[in-house]
Amino acid sequence: MNIGMLWFDDDARRGLPERIARAAAYYAQKYGRTPTLCLMHPTTAGEALPARLEGIELRTNRAVLREHLWIGIGETAAVEV
């Protein structure tokens, strides 16, 4: 993913799946496309990060700030046929 939306959410009352769903809903509303990839810092992800959540691929990356989600369209989904 070269371009995405950076989403900050440090609300401890919400679990990671809810935080990702909120970011994905906002992204879809703002940009008119459903995100396919979400990157997050390993400490934000925790130990039991699933590979996918509601059609969004989840990955860790140390370059993403803690408590932030970098969400957008993955490289393979960006190519329209």
Side-chain angles (χ1 to χ4, degrees):
M1 175 169 54
N2 293 323
I3 299 173
M5 179 186 79
L6 191 61
W7 177 268
F8 174 71
D9 190 342
D10 68 344
D11 188 350
R13 295 173 291 167
R14 292 190 173 104
L16 185 59
E18 183 180 356
R19 292 165 44 192
I20 293 169
R22 287 177 39 136
Y26 182 84
Y27 183 95
Q29 178 185 4
K30 183 170 176 92
Y31 300 107
R33 292 189 68 188
T34 302
T36 61
L37 178 61
C38 181
L39 303 174
M40 67 202 77
H41 193 274
T43 59
T44 302
E47 294 185 20
L49 182 68
R52 297 188 79 74
L53 179 69
E54 298 182 20
I56 301 172
E57 181 182 358
L58 306 178
R59 289 192 229 157
T60 59
N61 187 316
R62 292 196 178 278
V64 179
L65 297 169
R66 291 182 173 107
E67 305 304 332
H68 286 73
L69 304 172
W70 187 21
I71 191 162
I73 307 296
E75 291 83 15
T76 56
V79 178
E80 307 235 354
V81 180

